[in-house]
Amino acid sequence: MPTLTIDGHTCTVDIGGTILDAARAVGIDVPTLCWYPSLTSVGNCRICLVSVEGTDKLLPACATAAEDGMRVTSESHAAVRSRQGVLGLLLERYPVEDIPAAEARNEFEALVRRYDVPTTHRAGLPPRDGDARDGDPAIRHDMSTCILCTRCVRACEEIQVVGVLDVAHRSDRAQIIVGADGNPEHAGCTWCGECVRVCPTGAIHDIIPMAVRAGDGTMLERPRSNAMPPIDRTVRSVCPYCAVGCQLDLEVRDDTVVHVRSPWIEEATPNRGSTCVKGRFGLDFVQHRDRLETPLIRRGWVKRDGRWIFDATHDTASMWPRRGGPWELIEEEGQTRKRGPRSNPLQRSTSGIGPLGDPRDRVATPLAWYAPFREATWDEALELSAQELTRLRDTSGPSSLAVLQSAKCSNEENYLLQRMFRGGLGTNNVDHCTRLCHSSSVSAMQQAMNTSAASGAMREVEDVADVIFLLGANTTESHPVFGAAIKRAVKRGATLIVCDPRRIELASRAHIHLRAMPGTDVAVMNGMLHHILALGLEDRDFIARRTHQFDRVRAAVQPYTPERASQISGVPAALIREAAERYARGPRSSTLWAMGLTQHATGTDIVTSLLNLILATGMIGRPGAAMLPIRGQNNVQGASDVGAIPMVYTDYQPVTNPDIRHRFAQEWGVPDDRIPLKAGLKVTQMVMDDSPVRGMYIMGENPILSDPQVAHAEHWFRELEFLAVQDIFLTETARYADVVLPGSSFAEKDGTFVNTERRIQLSRAAVPPPGDARRDLDILIELSNRIGLPSPYRDAAEVMDEIARVTPSWRGVSHARLESHAGLQYPVHDAEHGGTPFLFADAFPTTDGKATFFPVEYLPPAELPDDAYPFLLNTGRQMYHWHTGTMTRRSFALDARESTPIVELNPADAAAMGVGDGEEVVVASRRAEIRIAVRLSDRVSPGQVFIPMHYREAAVNLLTNPALDPVAHIPEFKVCAVSVHPANRGQSVHSATTPLQATSWTSASPAE
Amino acid sequence: MGYPHQPHPRESLVLSKHFGTPEARTLDGWKKRGGYQALEMALGMDPVAIQNVVKESGLRGRGGAGFPTGLKWSFMKIGDGKPHYLCCNADESEPGTFKDREIMRWTPHALIEGVAIGAYAIGAETAYIYIRGEFTEPIERMEAALVEARAAGIIGPNAMGTGKTVNVWVHKGAGAYICGEETALMNSIEGKRGNPRIKPPFPAVAGLFGMPTTINNVETLAAVPHILVNGAEWYKKLGRPDNPKSTGTKLWSVCGNIVRPGNYEVEMGFPFGEFLHEVCGGALPGRTLKAIIPGGSSVPIITLEEAERGLMDYEGMVAVGTMLGSAGCIVIDSAQSMPKQIARLARFYAHESCAQCTQCREGTAWTTKILERMVAGDGTAEDFDTLLEIAENMTGKTICVLSDSCATPVISGIQKFRHEFEALITRTTVHAVPVVVA
């Protein structure tokens, strides 16, 4: 390792380290412009030139390898003169008249000040020009301040691996260009804002979608970030969208979040400072004018003789049926004509969002929705809620109550809510949306190795894995920051195998794309394992030492030759073989999956067949061999970990164990027998017709849109005796509530969240809740107290202390420790323990430390295309929206990108039925039909259609099949049969090709 | 000038011997003239032995830098398990230089032979000849010759039946001067923007596609077969005896205000004065020569008086304050305005800057702006300081030397012809007044 001296400081750097690395290590600030951590050093700005003894030329510190015995002077006379020269040259074309006298607004201006360079326009060269588009809702370019450092070009290419930007032309006409034709959408831009982050001058800056008050008190509508008035403070937070768990810096002014910045790239955050479009530009929902600011009580509830009763004749309650309101049912809304959509994004113009107007006027909660409610005091709302919950407990029994918790809320809030229902109201009817996403993964993983979380970390996948096997996960859209990490891994040389029915972005970058029919994954996995065994590529040592019952699986996969798997799945046998060999040969293969595997009536089977593959090849328990179910919501892992599921307390301790129940009862100060020893109802069981549930409490979920068979759900919720909803907007579900409790968004509270790699992170309150709204934790504490469960917590930290006491694998967790920005990956055994990046190096958490194989047979999906419903419907997410759209459709930048529902239809099918891009079709299933615009896309195979789940006006879950997985009770969101008709004709059109031949689907039993 | 080629008796014809003979372009014609004997010989030799012969001959790079060719080749570690590449730099774009063009036009097989020997000598199985895109005829000639050579089995997977692989490909440039810079050239072949790379790593360590690579000029490689056939000793004897550092013959492209412009091949060390006045015919009737840019537009401008003292080899040119460069000799006579000539050169460099480095991108543009303003009669006395200040910023501080190349004529021009600039500022006429009368 070379040792050198810089300005008299001696320092040692790794071989290959540069002079700049050495300088930074000893705290010497060599100025840089084109250099940026983790980007390739191009050494083009020439500002970092330093003097090195024995060399007559100045050398670029960023691009000169440190050598033993080098003597460097960072601020020699020559170096300073050279820097002044560089800055002077750059200033010649920089709009100097804009530089404020008082302060530097950006890195470049700071250097101009530091080297005291006069700003004179002697050359009279024209200002630099370049991309001058306007109308983009999030990112703007002002190329007159561009200094051509090319950081943006490299960040786009090397960090996000998109490559939208480049340098065009040469000489003084060189400029940064966007795509080949100036249209970022044509170049695949996802508006992640990486270019904004790295720009040293603000030439690329963001338009702040949030209203900001200027110094003189006037409102600045969507100001430019490089012209924003100074902020009051910056607060470190955790992104409320997906489970990557990106840390964000919220910039606050006048108690308003005005801007989102990502943390410095070198900080230890899961995102290494990157964000996606949602994280950077999708947080303005926090101060959307629809935010609930005061408790609401349904008209008709009156307090008589000290008790609340519902009097349908009171007030204007009689205007609507019980729990009704002046709105269309979602089913009716689904059939309405849709506003003309934007065309295919690949054909959009650059003219921006003009014709659509301000989305805040379009997707806001209709004022009529508020009509059945009156504003109430907190005392009234809490009193009514407590009274009704306890009344139902006492009259109909605890099992008539149920609670839907929230993967959007913190661990502390979820813990308190399940505590209230278990300890206070005596029911285990506690569940949340994990049921609808990874419950089948959890049941399969519990069965095989008694675990419920990822074994490894995202960083391992990016940096170490040799093979990445990604199944049913559209990572670049659903978890974009992790998707970029996978793309970087592929660039580094990792092999990517994608198994997905759609040709998603990662599939087109993959080495092997297994384009299996939806729901045929068991056949693919069994076929791969068959081939692995045939070649003897299994890890015999691992199987022998660490597993049970392999022979049963060996026998079960015997009939699944790659040819047979191919016949079922439609994947060529050669690809199955190649994928199997590459995966098994690793040497370090990571396995990632998401909803594409789990949301099936055979979800548990599918994941089990994948686990068999993992275990048979020993691809677990080593760095780079990660088992990573990619979680959806930002805290779906944490909510499950702290017991928001019907079978378990925190840490997956079963409710059926009396000893465990005793521990919790004691901690909560309630008698043991108040809490049943029987597991409670799952979400999908709660909403069934024969469910005993009469009263419900929902925190931060919107089940009417997210449950399968929306029409049924909408009906079911109206039949409840009591419904309380704690949320930040009047959602489709909340409009049926008796009481609406205005809660807090992520930006308004302290709390911890667990990301997909078991990392517990602390998010801090940046702003107060709006109006009279309260922090969710305060609402829960108050309500617990009112139903008779004393809850003496002062803040979230105290709740976490209790969680740590009752949760063995979180024993060492506390808010104080989480103050360090990296968070802690559980298990954290004690206050000294540093967390566990990867699990199962030596043993699985089973009684004998071994995992168990379970043989799985392929079963076809519950509903398959037929003559009447010839298309296969697949559902999922889009880049710019999130789940039921509660947040993203209230975000200016996001909704402007995708403002209308679409169905992805293969051009061949569209041609056969004579519909074009943007035209409206009717998509019908056995359950309902919706009108929706077509987006032509060859991402979907002929015979398949894809509809995103975010749109109330074309709610895809009206169509989906409520068939449930027998173990996990997860619905089959991913497969159902539909017909597609042009909306203006009404006659059914068959698929242009018939890939869904009956044999593919019915040859279920391999025993045949 | 003109063909059929009529060499001046004082020329020494090695490379240009067959210029103007269409038959020499064909494989048969070339073989008749002794072609491919050297390659056959080379393929039977150890690559290191070839390197040693070339080292011994004293051959130096003819592209401008004059780096000893054999030494450059010896940086390539034969048998390191990596693919090696040879790039032949035929992106001849330096203003005033047009010698490589003629080699490719008339003796394409000479270049193929040299390239094949060079590739074999550095352990490369693949060689690219990167030809300036505007050279449509040379590209055609080279491609036709390659087709012939491939068909005859001279190059390819079993070159001349020896079982050795030497593939040679032509890669067309797309019109950027900077792609003649060796690392930009490699980027260009790789399909990237032609930006020069930071050195180190040098091409011999990580060049084309990240692999060990050697880049040689056309004229350099074309000389190699002659060295192999005639021996290093023969080559060393070409040149002036008192300077063993410059050996062999050199092609000179002469253009500008002179009676007989054209390509001339003379031995190293030929007296520059005699060359200009005798071989090239001297000044046009009624004019006097004023300034010479002897090595392509990037080298310092010298006065006629300085040129007449010069000897035409690497050291001889340095001795009179300039450089041999690519031997593209631009002759300027008393009818020309030096500020105008220099402004034109600056404009060329400003236009060709790849725009990576701040000093080059901004400095060349600003320099041009000032010079053109001066030529237009709107200059000021402060402009001299500004120009020299910018030139200082542009010298020795950038990734490649394009920036320096722009600064060089500005600095030397102001130094030697300051009165012409001053006259423009004070609006007096100085035309037709030679600085130094011979």
Side-chain angles (χ1 to χ4, degrees), chain A residues 87-382:
Chain A
L87 292 166
L89 285 166
L90 290 172
L91 271 173
E92 281 301 322
R93 299 177 70 189
Y94 190 87
V96 280
E97 60 278 11
D98 294 348
I99 301 184
E103 57 179 332
R105 293 166 306 178
N106 57 47
E107 281 177 58
F108 172 66
E109 289 176 9
L111 284 181
V112 169
R113 277 166 202 290
R114 172 169 158 190
Y115 288 100
D116 198 20
V117 182
T119 55
T120 53
H121 276 176
R122 285 182 293 169
L125 291 168
R128 200 177 307 287
D129 55 5
D131 184 19
R133 281 171 304 123
D134 57 21
D136 191 280
I139 301 176
R140 298 269 170 107
H141 301 208
D142 171 11
M143 287 307 172
S144 65
T145 61
C146 176
I147 55 168
L148 278 170
C149 66
T150 69
R151 276 191 202 173
C152 54
V153 176
R154 284 171 285 142
C156 193
E157 177 58 37
E158 295 171 18
I159 297 179
Q160 293 289 337
V161 201
V162 180
V164 173
L165 303 170
D166 208 339
V167 180
H169 310 304
R170 58 189 193 217
S171 71
D172 60 326
R173 289 173 303 117
Q175 57 177 242
I176 303 292
I177 51 158
V178 183
D181 62 355
N183 186 340
E185 300 196 47
H186 293 181
C189 178
T190 61
W191 279 272
C192 64
E194 200 75 43
C195 49
V196 173
R197 168 171 80 144
V198 298
C199 183
T201 65
I204 306 180
H205 55 271
D206 42 354
I207 291 292
I208 296 167
M210 309 170 183
V212 176
R213 205 170 288 281
D216 59 3
T218 53
M219 291 301 279
L220 300 169
E221 278 296 317
R222 292 189 284 284
R224 299 146 49 123
S225 59
N226 60 353
M228 196 173 71
I231 51 162
D232 302 335
R233 59 183 183 277
T234 302
V235 180
R236 180 59 59 88
S237 182
V238 177
C239 178
Y241 288 109
C242 79
V244 171
C246 296
Q247 296 191 8
L248 303 174
D249 283 333
L250 305 183
E251 295 187 344
V252 178
R253 180 184 160 86
D254 295 340
D255 276 345
T256 309
V257 178
V258 291
H259 191 216
V260 180
R261 233 180 254 286
S262 48
W264 177 237
I265 187 167
E266 292 175 298
E267 270 187 59
T269 60
N271 43 324
R272 285 193 191 164
S274 286
T275 70
C276 72
V277 62
K278 293 191 286 282
R280 196 182 297 269
F281 301 120
L283 302 181
D284 44 334
F285 73 87
V286 167
Q287 51 240 29
H288 195 276
R289 66 177 183 218
D290 283 356
R291 280 293 301 274
L292 294 171
E293 295 191 357
T294 176
L296 302 176
I297 290 181
R298 180 166 289 276
R299 294 182 193 277
W301 280 101
V302 285
K303 194 172 179 185
R304 294 202 183 123
D305 305 330
R307 278 193 74 75
W308 288 89
I309 57 161
F310 188 79
D311 176 357
T313 62
H314 181 76
D315 201 354
T316 53
S318 59
M319 287 174 66
W320 306 285
R322 172 81 172 105
R323 225 182 288 288
W327 51 73
E328 283 179 304
L329 293 180
I330 291 169
E331 189 172 10
E332 294 161 4
E333 215 176 335
Q335 296 172 26
T336 55
R337 214 179 155 71
K338 301 298 182 292
R339 181 163 22 86
R342 301 185 67 183
S343 59
N344 186 322
L346 294 183
Q347 293 162 2
R348 284 182 205 164
S349 73
T350 56
S351 56
I353 54 126
L356 294 176
D358 186 340
R360 292 178 304 172
D361 294 326
R362 292 184 296 106
V363 292
T365 311
L367 283 179
W369 287 21
Y370 296 100
F373 297 96
R374 71 170 174 87
E375 292 190 348
T377 64
W378 274 104
D379 196 47
E380 289 175 319
L382 290 166

Side-chain angles (χ1 to χ4, degrees), chain B residues 85-89 122 126-130 185-186 189 208 213-217 221:
Chain B
Y85 293 99
L86 175 73
C87 293
C88 171
N89 188 346
I122 60 162
T126 305
Y128 294 94
I129 304 176
Y130 186 99
L185 183 147
M186 294 188 299
I189 293 179
L208 187 62
T213 303
T214 295
I215 298 198
N216 289 129
N217 172 257
L221 288 168

Side-chain angles (χ1 to χ4, degrees), chain B residues 5-64:
Chain B
H5 190 52
Q6 289 170 334
H8 192 277
R10 296 197 61 186
E11 283 188 68
S12 310
L13 304 185
V14 177
L15 302 174
S16 61
K17 188 171 176 188
H18 304 295
F19 283 8
T21 315
E23 198 201 28
R25 287 170 172 162
T26 63
L27 181 57
D28 287 346
W30 188 244
K31 278 187 163 171
K32 221 186 283 176
R33 288 165 178 77
Y36 290 115
Q37 287 173 11
L39 177 59
E40 195 167 7
M41 194 170 137
L43 291 174
M45 291 168 71
D46 183 62
V48 178
I50 303 174
Q51 294 176 5
N52 288 338
V53 172
V54 173
K55 236 185 243 182
E56 181 57 31
S57 75
L59 175 65
R60 290 168 68 178
R62 303 299 197 227

Side-chain angles (χ1 to χ4, degrees), chain A residues 392-453:
Chain A
L392 279 165
R393 174 192 65 190
D394 298 339
T395 56
S396 308
S399 63
S400 69
L401 292 174
V403 59
L404 289 185
Q405 307 208 174
S406 179
K408 279 270 160 283
C409 288
S410 69
N411 297 316
E412 291 80 0
E413 290 151 5
N414 277 295
Y415 175 80
L416 277 199
L417 187 53
Q418 62 92 32
R419 172 182 177 273
M420 177 164 87
F421 272 75
R422 290 197 159 111
L425 296 165
T427 178
N428 280 323
N429 293 343
V430 171
D431 209 352
H432 73 289
C433 69
T434 187
R435 189 61 42 209
L436 309 177
C437 68
H438 264 299
S439 58
S440 46
S441 302
V442 170
S443 45
M445 291 193 295
Q446 289 265 354
Q447 176 180 261
M449 52 192 89
N450 189 32
T451 183
S452 312

Side-chain angles (χ1 to χ4, degrees), chain A residues 917-993:
Chain A
D917 194 58
E919 288 180 33
E920 202 161 85
V921 291
V922 174
V923 182
S925 75
R926 290 189 168 77
R927 291 153 291 279
E929 61 177 51
I930 57 174
R931 285 168 78 117
I932 189 165
V934 165
R935 176 174 292 164
L936 295 183
S937 168
D938 58 2
R939 296 210 302 182
V940 289
S941 296
Q944 298 183 18
V945 294
F946 174 85
I947 302 180
M949 60 191 280
H950 316 295
Y951 302 90
R952 178 184 75 233
E953 63 269 38
V956 71
N957 287 337
L958 285 164
L959 309 177
T960 47
N961 186 359
L964 298 181
D965 178 271
V967 184
H969 290 94
I970 188 168
E972 187 144 82
F973 284 117
K974 292 294 185 202
V975 183
C976 75
V978 296
S979 64
V980 183
H981 317 258
N984 49 359
R985 269 162 274 171
Q987 94 203 48
S988 173
V989 177
H990 285 262
S991 170
T993 55

Side-chain angles (χ1 to χ4, degrees), chain A residues 46 81 123 128 169 171, chain B residues 193 350 353 362 366 392 397:
Chain A
R46 317 308 287 177
R81 263 187 72 84
R128 200 177 307 287
H169 310 304
S171 71
Chain B
R193 186 182 164 89
S353 167
E362 309 297 336
W366 192 1
E392 189 211 323
K397 298 193 175 65

Side-chain angles (χ1 to χ4, degrees), chain A residues 603-644:
Chain A
T604 305
D605 283 357
I606 292 174
V607 178
T608 302
S609 68
L610 179 63
L611 296 181
N612 288 342
L613 192 64
I614 294 173
L615 291 171
T617 50
M619 292 301 173
I620 191 166
R622 287 177 287 138
M627 171 186 78
L628 199 76
I630 313 174
R631 307 307 301 246
Q633 301 273 9
N634 64 333
N635 200 32
V636 68
Q637 184 69 55
S640 304
D641 293 337
V642 299

